[in-house]
Amino acid sequence: MNWDIIEGKWGQLKGSVKEQWGKLTDDELTEIAGNRDKMAGKLQERYGWTKEEADEKLNEFFRDK
């Protein structure tokens, strides 16, 4: 899915994102607001992933949305 679309639908997608990555807080999800770079950064912080790992997980998750 295109990240412009994700940003536009962020309110609808937040619940699914929270389900997938439960370590992210509601405040962090609000701060991310569908921004790919912010999302990857928060996933790196919370899960200890490299940038490449975070990007791969994001691509996998949003490919089907």
Side-chain angles (χ1 to χ4, degrees):
M1 180 180 282
N2 181 308
W3 277 89
D4 290 331
I5 295 170
I6 291 170
E7 284 185 46
K9 292 184 173 186
W10 188 245
Q12 297 168 326
L13 294 170
K14 261 192 339 187
S16 297
V17 171
K18 178 75 172 176
E19 245 179 63
Q20 179 71 23
W21 295 296
K23 290 183 181 181
L24 296 175
T25 67
D26 290 334
D27 287 342
E28 287 172 328
L29 291 172
T30 299
E31 179 186 327
I32 290 166
N35 180 288
R36 182 183 176 83
D37 291 335
K38 286 183 183 179
M39 178 86 179
K42 290 295 180 187
L43 290 174
Q44 287 174 261
E45 285 177 27
R46 291 284 178 211
Y47 290 90
W49 295 336
T50 65
K51 180 165 179 23
E52 291 78 21
E53 287 173 314
D55 286 340
E56 184 179 318
K57 301 284 187 188
L58 285 171
N59 288 338
E60 287 174 12
F61 181 74
F62 285 109
R63 184 177 304 131
D64 298 329
K65 297 292 176 213

